Amino acid sequence: MTSPLLKVTDLHVNFISRWPNEPSVDVLRGVCFELNRGERVALVGESGAGKSLLATSIIQLFDSSARIRQGEVVFEGQQLTQLNPKQLRKIRGRRIGMVFQDPMTNLNPSLTLEQQLLECILSHRRISRAEARLVALHKLRQVHIPAPEARLQQYPHQLSAGQRQRATIAMALALEPTLIIADEPTSALDVTMQAEVMSLLTHLCHSNGVALLWITHDLSLVAHASDRCLIMYAGQIVEQGPTTALINDAQHPYTQGLIKALPQMSKPGQSLFQIPGQMPVVEELGHHCAFAKRCEFAHEVCWQEAPSMPQDSGHQASCHLLTASQTLAGAKP
Amino acid sequence: MNYLPQLTQRLLTGSITIMLAACVSYWILSLISPNHAAAISLDQYLNQLLHGDFGQSQFYHLPNLDLILEKLPATFELVIITSLIVALLALPLGLYTAIEPQQRVARAVMAFSLLGISLPMFLTGTLMVYLFAVQLNWLPAFGRGEIVWLGSWPSGLFTVSGWQHIVMPATAVSLTLLPLFLRLIRAELIQVMHSNPVRLAQAMGITPWRIWLRYGLRNATLPMITMASLQFGTLMAYTMVAETLFQWPGVGSLFMQGIIRGDGPLIAAYLVLVSIMFLLFNSLTDLAYGLFNPHLAPWRQHTPFIGQDTP
Amino acid sequence: MNAAKYHGHHVWRRFRRQQLWRQLKANKTAFVSALILLTLGLLALLTPWISPFDPTDMQQQNIMDAELPPFWQLGNDSRFLLGTDGLGRDLLSSILYGLKNSLWVGFWAVILQFILGTSLGLCAGYFGGWADRLIMSLADFQLTFSSLMLAILVLAITRAAMGAHDYHIWSPWLLVLVLGLADWPQYARTLRASVLAEKHKDYIAAAQVLGYQSRHIMVFHILPNTLSPLLVIATWQIAHVILAEAALSFLNIGMPYANPSLGGLMGAGFEYMLSGVWWIALLPGLALLILLLSINLVADWLRDALDPKNLGQRP
């Protein structure tokens, strides 16, 4: 079996507190998953679960006082956590591309598309400006932006929202990376645009053999477009597995709740299902199952120790009830 | 672009402003030297101004315009050198303290800028005179030094003694503005570095230097122009104090002497000329804005910047 | 007025939530500066009683005592701890009186600025339209010229018009008036921006529907929510006004020489400094520096402490 493209092991990320006496609490708590070449993986979770933090942790793009306390991130055989900033920079953009949520606030408003694309390309490749321009044009065509020569001279505010996001996708693909991390790329778009951009991104990744880590809060969005699915809750991955298997036969109570909560899953006239309660804040987390408070199947053991994390790439969930199935006749996780 | 309507509007408001300033200066003339004002009516006064006649000084018995123009180069050079010092120091220091805030030198610079805001310009000036002129005798305490005539412009920047004389006044005044610009540049850079476009640029692996220059400094330029235009009045005020302290023969000290002697015509002429000067400067900054005209709205919040028009 | 007490109570509650005292104790620099400031303020208040001499009293001055050095230099007189100036006045007393005068001018000018700037800013923001345009163009005009420049021009011309003697009788009040009028735009602009932001919020619409008068809404509903930045500006402005007063006195268009001011002492002492008599110019300068530095440090701390982003965080 070939080694995975990206392997994250026991990742713990915390924030350095501004008050010296306050102990810092982990926000990402032991995240483990793998990603293979060309695979499309969806990372699903509520806001606050730590999805974006996980994405930025992989390329170590912390903008506040977050840091990796413990754990490994191995990409293409390299330990990313042990690289110095210069080496990291070589990987960012070139080997791992990123697409962020809101293209309007992410593109530099005072640079034209050409300037931004060329800056990105020329930072990594020693080619002439003219060649880089050809690459940029090629990528813009790939994302189906009409009249790319004209578009290159335009500023971001002169493009429509959909075109802007396509432009950022073009930027991410420009250097032909092996992995693209897309952090809620369609959340800032309206519904019609969402479908288009989504199919574009997944199609491009598929045809170019680029692995895709798609972060979203909407499970229904990625049901058809991903090979595997990771469900994230309170800084941990509580269930992971092939998407169809996960949706058809969810193991973790949280995943089951998420699926039940999808509007498509409720009958007309029936009130929509909601998982009661809210995700625990950082201070409430401890050595117990983070979902216990909201779980309808919670037992004593759930409050006493944390369930084991899924380790390999089969269909696994972290729930006590799975491991103790013989003692809980009739309970159904 | 169609500048014409804007231009005519500017000229119109400008002329009205100067007209108002002239009327005010006439009124002030009547307060200080009533007999001079009695000898001439308002419309005669305005008429004279339109023809370039700014009256005659009561004390010197010479045309005011000549007196002021004679002293103007000195003030002008002082202002230029001061601005140069501020610009040449604030940019690199602001950049440095934003990039490496934890380094000892950066922290020292920040502490110094905090001190600089509390240091009155005349205290620094006095200390400098005491230290460098009285005790060490390295630099002269007053005057302008030797001057060289460039056509009809007397310049002190081409002689060693000229530079010896301008160093202390220019440094003293620049030290009042330097902390402000330093903090402004630093704050702008830090704000930019936390913005989304910079995050994307970092995710693309662009080198930090390019990011600092292309994203950082570029976006700091507009607030710098704004700050500069707001500080112009303060710069003028402190130049006046410096001229008094260092006995620098410029228009500021001419004005102060006129005040002490109660020289009404001179003061009135000075006021009109100062208004014209401010108007010109404002137009210049508006022009600079127009040149830049970047689309910076998305990542700028217009929180009032404390310390905006200060010493 | 029940409404006033109710709202006042709420403002107080919100103020307390910010736990200013704890934050002050946590920040050592700010704490020390606040202590120094308090000490200086106390000294200024108690000056008439604790000052060894009265520098405004001509009877106490003897020209024979002029230019005596401070206690650590040779040739000093033990009566005058920090030496004497050119007229034979005790420098320590002059500095104390100068402190008092500076703080007096600073205090009253800032109160004037605050009231003026707040009222105008509230009106401009709340009523909008021509009032807004008028007030803002006036503010822009003043900001272009800068308060110090305007103060210099106005006071210098007043001095020239009144003559030195008469001017110095009126100058303390003129200083307060001019410096108060010169710096109101900062408050007005900040407040206007806040008011414009708050005006569209639902609680204002609710108050209007309930029939509250505009004036009431402005003062009791909008103002408490916008007070924090204004307080910071006010603190910082005290330093600014004191600095301006010192500069004006240095130029001889501020406080009269008979009623000492820190800036005035520096101005008068400059000549003496050139011949080696340094204490008349530099010791008041040091006092001024300490005063300004402590005010600025406290103002900086206050700005960080009142930052709404810090609300609710444990210090």
Side-chain angles (χ1 to χ4, degrees):
Chain A
M1 167 132 168
T2 51
S3 60
L5 181 68
L6 173 70
K7 187 178 166 93
V8 174
T9 319
D10 196 32
L11 188 64
H12 289 259
V13 171
N14 64 0
F15 284 88
I16 304 173
S17 167
R18 60 187 281 203
W19 311 112
N21 297 329
E22 213 177 85
S24 54
V25 189
D26 286 346
V27 181
L28 288 185
R29 310 176 302 132
V31 171
C32 298
F33 70 93
E34 280 177 14
L35 205 117
N36 294 306
R37 279 182 200 279
E39 206 177 16
R40 297 169 304 173
V41 175
L43 178 62
V44 182
E46 285 175 57
S47 18
K51 324 188 285 291
S52 299
L53 187 59
L54 178 57
T56 51
S57 301
I58 294 174
I59 50 177
Q60 293 185 54
L61 201 68
F62 303 117
D63 59 86
S64 51
S65 48
R67 63 188 178 102
I68 297 181
R69 186 173 68 76
Q70 175 186 329
E72 292 184 349
V73 178
V74 180
F75 176 72
E76 290 186 338
Q78 273 188 311
Q79 262 283 21
L80 292 187
T81 47
Q82 288 174 352
L83 294 182
N84 63 37
K86 195 161 164 214
Q87 294 165 317
L88 269 173
R89 264 206 307 279
K90 287 222 180 64
I91 293 187
R92 288 188 201 138
R94 187 77 162 97
R95 318 293 313 157
I96 303 181
M98 275 211 75
V99 178
F100 286 105
Q101 180 171 346
D102 183 3
M104 191 64 231
T105 61
N106 281 303
L107 291 173
N108 188 339
S110 50
L111 295 180
T112 60
L113 272 193
E114 177 172 6
Q115 286 172 314
Q116 293 196 67
L117 276 166
L118 257 53
E119 190 172 53
C120 172
I121 296 172
L122 291 171
S123 289
H124 291 276
R125 293 178 63 183
R126 292 197 187 286
I127 55 180
S128 69
R129 261 191 102 79
E131 278 181 46
R133 197 164 174 276
L134 286 176
V135 172
L137 279 172
H138 173 66
K139 292 298 169 192
L140 283 180
R141 281 195 203 100
Q142 271 196 322
V143 296
H144 305 313
I145 287 186
E149 292 89 354
R151 291 279 176 267
L152 274 184
Q153 305 308 321
Q154 287 184 324
Y155 289 94
H157 68 276
Q158 293 172 300
L159 302 169
S160 74
Q163 286 173 337
R164 285 198 285 266
Q165 193 60 305
R166 287 177 218 249
T168 48
I169 294 174
M171 263 173 89
L173 284 171
L175 291 160
E176 290 167 13
T178 48
L179 166 67
I180 286 192
I181 304 177
D183 189 353
E184 306 215 38
T186 55
S187 302
L189 304 172
D190 60 49
V191 184
T192 43
M193 277 290 109
Q194 267 187 9
E196 265 190 62
V197 168
M198 211 186 96
S199 75
L200 177 70
L201 186 54
T202 47
H203 175 71
L204 279 173
C205 287
H206 189 65
S207 55
N208 291 338
V210 177
L212 178 63
L213 178 64
W214 185 298
I215 300 173
T216 180
H217 58 269
D218 191 346
L219 186 54
S220 61
L221 206 57
V222 292
H224 305 293
S226 56
D227 303 318
R228 279 179 50 235
C229 201
L230 311 168
I231 308 288
M232 198 158 177
Y233 187 76
Q236 295 171 319
I237 297 194
V238 294
E239 181 163 2
Q240 56 174 305
T243 312
T244 14
L246 194 135
I247 291 184
N248 289 332
D249 184 27
Q251 300 288 308
H252 195 279
Y254 179 59
T255 324
Q256 292 169 357
L258 279 182
I259 294 174
K260 261 182 19 188
L262 292 175
Q264 301 91 309
M265 300 299 282
S266 52
K267 299 194 181 56
Q270 196 186 31
S271 54
L272 294 174
F273 177 77
Q274 259 189 346
I275 307 176
Q278 283 186 330
M279 190 147 53
V281 291
V282 165
E283 284 84 15
E284 292 173 356
L285 300 171
H287 294 294
H288 55 81
C289 176
F291 190 61
K293 206 163 129 192
R294 304 167 79 183
C295 182
E296 51 175 329
F297 305 112
H299 283 73
E300 261 181 52
V301 61
C302 303
W303 287 99
Q304 287 163 356
E305 55 179 272
S308 54
M309 294 289 116
Q311 293 291 339
D312 58 48
S313 53
H315 182 185
Q316 280 201 337
S318 88
C319 180
H320 282 297
L321 300 171
L322 287 175
T323 52
S325 51
Q326 64 271 20
T327 58
L328 297 163
K332 195 225 179 273
Chain B
M1 289 261 273
N2 197 8
Y3 283 131
L4 203 57
Q6 269 189 349
L7 199 62
T8 41
Q9 192 203 26
R10 292 218 125 258
L11 282 175
L12 203 65
T13 40
S15 328
I16 297 180
T17 317
I18 297 190
M19 189 75 67
L20 276 173
C23 296
V24 169
S25 74
Y26 179 77
W27 173 61
I28 288 173
L29 178 65
S30 65
L31 286 178
I32 303 179
S33 308
N35 25 337
H36 268 258
I40 183 173
S41 70
L42 177 58
D43 41 276
Q44 276 179 316
Y45 182 71
L46 290 175
N47 203 8
Q48 279 185 350
L49 281 178
L50 273 171
H51 288 95
D53 177 8
F54 284 78
Q56 210 186 56
S57 159
Q58 195 176 316
F59 184 77
Y60 293 101
H61 300 294
L62 292 169
N64 289 322
L65 189 60
D66 293 349
L67 283 170
I68 293 177
L69 286 180
E70 184 193 332
K71 305 277 186 178
L72 201 56
T75 306
F76 188 74
E77 287 189 350
L78 184 56
V79 167
I80 292 287
I81 299 294
T82 307
S83 312
L84 262 174
I85 294 179
V86 173
L88 288 177
L89 280 181
L91 269 172
L93 282 179
L95 203 63
Y96 175 65
T97 50
I99 298 179
E100 304 269 6
Q102 298 308 316
Q103 292 275 354
R104 279 224 306 247
V105 177
R107 293 166 104 163
V109 168
M110 287 311 292
F112 171 73
S113 83
L114 189 64
L115 183 65
I117 293 183
S118 321
L119 260 180
M121 175 250 137
F122 47 96
L123 178 57
T124 352
T126 311
L127 270 172
M128 285 173 112
V129 169
Y130 185 63
L131 195 62
F132 296 111
V134 178
Q135 293 286 34
L136 295 172
N137 217 358
W138 285 352
L139 294 168
F142 47 81
R144 208 180 159 200
E146 275 178 59
I147 50 181
V148 164
W149 285 88
L150 302 172
S152 51
W153 182 281
S155 170
L157 300 178
F158 291 91
T159 58
V160 174
S161 95
W163 276 101
Q164 280 179 330
H165 280 85
I166 205 173
V167 158
M168 282 205 292
T171 316
V173 179
S174 65
L175 283 176
T176 58
L177 294 175
L178 195 58
L180 230 60
F181 280 93
L182 189 70
R183 285 175 146 198
L184 176 70
I185 294 177
R186 180 174 180 271
E188 287 292 319
L189 286 173
I190 290 181
Q191 187 186 33
V192 163
M193 291 321 278
H194 286 129
S195 64
N196 281 344
V198 167
R199 182 181 59 161
L200 183 60
Q202 287 173 328
M204 292 289 156
I206 299 178
T207 55
W209 277 114
R210 281 199 76 114
I211 297 182
W212 280 111
L213 287 174
R214 246 214 155 148
Y215 291 69
L217 275 186
R218 205 173 206 189
N219 290 295
T221 335
L222 198 64
M224 274 209 328
I225 298 181
T226 316
M227 178 67 113
S229 71
L230 282 172
Q231 293 302 317
F232 183 65
T234 316
L235 176 61
M236 285 293 112
Y238 277 116
T239 307
M240 205 181 267
V241 178
E243 287 185 12
T244 309
L245 199 157
F246 291 96
Q247 291 183 46
W248 186 264
V251 288
S253 62
L254 184 67
F255 173 72
M256 289 310 291
Q257 284 165 12
I259 290 288
I260 294 180
R261 290 168 189 146
D263 192 343
L266 182 60
I267 296 169
Y270 178 83
L271 279 174
V272 177
L273 283 165
V274 158
S275 319
I276 297 180
M277 201 168 57
F278 268 87
L279 212 70
L280 279 174
F281 182 76
N282 266 356
S283 314
L284 255 155
T285 41
D286 281 348
L287 208 69
Y289 256 72
L291 278 176
F292 263 88
N293 207 17
H295 317 283
L296 291 182
W299 67 30
R300 320 213 75 244
Q301 310 122 331
H302 284 283
T303 50
F305 190 91
I306 295 185
Q308 229 173 4
D309 69 330
T310 90
Chain C
M1 259 223 314
N2 257 342
K5 272 174 50 178
Y6 174 75
H7 289 285
H9 178 64
H10 266 283
V11 173
W12 176 242
R13 279 249 305 269
R14 183 176 339 166
F15 195 69
R16 272 183 59 114
R17 240 202 304 155
Q18 288 168 325
Q19 297 179 311
L20 281 178
W21 178 241
R22 286 181 75 183
Q23 288 205 46
L24 183 58
K25 281 203 292 192
N27 186 338
K28 273 187 281 206
T29 333
F31 191 63
V32 170
S33 317
L35 265 180
I36 294 180
L37 192 55
L38 216 63
T39 317
L40 290 173
L42 231 71
L43 280 176
L45 268 176
L46 299 175
T47 296
W49 294 279
I50 63 172
S51 166
F53 292 87
D54 181 355
T56 59
D57 185 0
M58 304 275 272
Q59 307 286 11
Q60 291 184 11
Q61 296 163 20
N62 187 351
I63 198 73
M64 298 300 293
D65 290 327
E67 300 183 45
L68 292 169
F71 69 91
W72 60 84
Q73 265 190 227
L74 221 56
N76 67 325
D77 187 329
S78 57
R79 286 178 298 157
F80 311 114
L81 264 177
L82 292 178
T84 56
D85 68 4
L87 286 180
R89 296 187 297 190
D90 175 34
L91 203 57
L92 178 61
S93 316
S94 300
I95 291 181
L96 283 172
Y97 271 82
L99 258 176
K100 179 172 84 94
N101 288 329
S102 295
L103 283 169
W104 184 87
V105 171
F107 181 73
W108 287 112
V110 168
I111 294 220
L112 180 59
Q113 291 175 352
F114 190 88
I115 296 177
L116 193 60
T118 319
S119 333
L120 288 177
L122 268 176
C123 290
Y126 191 74
F127 292 122
W130 63 267
D132 184 18
R133 279 198 293 271
L134 180 66
I135 294 175
M136 280 302 116
S137 16
L138 193 58
D140 282 337
F141 173 78
Q142 279 194 236
L143 282 174
T144 315
F145 277 89
S146 106
S147 55
L148 189 57
M149 186 68 174
L150 279 176
I152 292 181
L153 286 175
V154 170
L155 288 171
I157 289 169
T158 316
R159 184 183 192 272
M162 288 173 101
H165 186 252
D166 284 340
Y167 177 73
H168 283 306
I169 297 176
W170 291 98
S171 60
W173 287 269
L174 280 173
L175 274 173
V176 171
L177 187 67
V178 171
L179 289 173
L181 285 175
D183 254 329
W184 65 265
Q186 265 204 323
Y187 302 87
R189 273 198 154 181
T190 315
L191 189 52
R192 175 180 175 268
S194 308
V195 169
L196 286 178
E198 298 285 314
K199 202 163 73 158
H200 299 290
K201 291 195 180 163
D202 289 335
Y203 73 96
I204 297 295
Q208 286 170 330
V209 162
L210 284 173
Y212 281 109
Q213 272 188 325
S214 304
R215 203 178 45 197
H216 179 99
I217 296 181
M218 285 199 301
V219 174
F220 291 105
H221 293 255
I222 297 186
L223 191 56
N225 289 325
T226 55
L227 215 44
S228 297
L230 292 177
L231 280 179
V232 179
I233 294 180
T235 319
W236 190 85
Q237 278 292 116
I238 298 182
H240 185 187
V241 167
I242 292 180
L243 182 56
E245 178 268 317
L248 291 164
S249 303
F250 184 84
L251 290 175
N252 248 316
I253 48 179
M255 298 291 270
Y257 191 57
N259 195 0
S261 138
L262 296 173
L265 286 167
M266 288 174 70
F270 191 82
E271 302 274 316
Y272 295 90
M273 186 185 75
L274 293 175
S275 46
V277 177
W278 57 272
W279 50 92
I280 310 177
L282 294 182
L283 286 177
L286 182 63
L288 185 62
L289 178 61
I290 295 177
L291 178 63
L292 290 173
L293 198 57
S294 51
I295 299 179
N296 275 323
L297 284 171
V298 171
D300 263 4
W301 164 81
L302 197 65
R303 179 195 59 205
D304 288 337
L306 289 179
D307 189 343
K309 298 196 209 93
N310 294 339
L311 199 61
Q313 272 199 6
R314 316 192 294 284

